Amino acid sequence: QVQLVESGGGLVQTGGSLRLSCAASGSIFSINDMGWYRQAPGKQRELVAVISSNGNTNYADSVKGRFTISRDNAKNTVLLQMNSLKPEDTAVYYCNADLKERGGLFRRNYWGQGTQVTVSS
């Protein structure tokens, strides 16, 4: 069974850095897009960054120039390097992947369990 396992969340001060990691495991045939979403209390879940299978990236305007998304296809892993963190970045961060399982008919969407990022003022 496919699952996404996240790590790297925590508590940092304004201006600090964190690196989030998400590894997909299980019976995977191929992975298309991988991305990071976040949800703050009382707010809708929003896309932070996405990276395609060929390495094209897209970022939310609020994180451009501060966050970098990357992937290691050999490890089925997506990374999010977060620099110059602000209190507004405080949220639960969720890993997302669009993938096809071995023996599966179609691609489908998977989510990680979420990891808390807290930036103190």
Side-chain angles (χ1 to χ4, degrees):
Q1 189 170 353
V2 173
Q3 64 178 153
L4 306 182
V5 180
E6 300 166 325
S7 62
L11 173 64
V12 297
Q13 294 182 332
T14 297
S17 298
L18 284 173
R19 179 183 285 108
L20 304 184
S21 177
C22 172
S25 63
S27 185
I28 298 169
F29 179 76
S30 62
I31 304 177
N32 284 26
D33 291 349
M34 302 186 80
W36 291 92
Y37 292 71
R38 67 186 182 187
Q39 188 167 22
K43 190 180 177 183
Q44 294 267 39
R45 187 173 299 188
E46 64 175 347
L47 177 67
V48 177
V50 63
I51 183 167
S52 70
S53 58
N54 61 21
N56 290 336
T57 59
N58 191 35
Y59 297 90
D61 288 340
S62 60
V63 307
K64 286 180 180 177
R66 300 188 297 120
F67 292 9
T68 302
I69 189 169
S70 61
R71 64 192 287 171
D72 184 339
N73 292 328
K75 299 179 180 178
N76 289 334
T77 298
V78 61
L79 290 303
L80 186 68
Q81 177 66 45
M82 305 185 294
N83 298 326
S84 302
L85 283 162
K86 306 174 181 179
E88 307 93 271
D89 297 317
T90 295
V92 178
Y93 284 70
Y94 297 91
C95 178
N96 177 267
D98 181 52
L99 60 83
K100 182 182 178 183
E101 296 182 73
R102 290 175 180 170
L105 192 58
F106 303 108
R107 296 186 304 271
R108 58 180 178 172
N109 207 236
Y110 290 84
W111 291 92
Q113 78 284 355
T115 184
Q116 178 71 46
V117 171
T118 303
V119 185
S120 64
S121 58

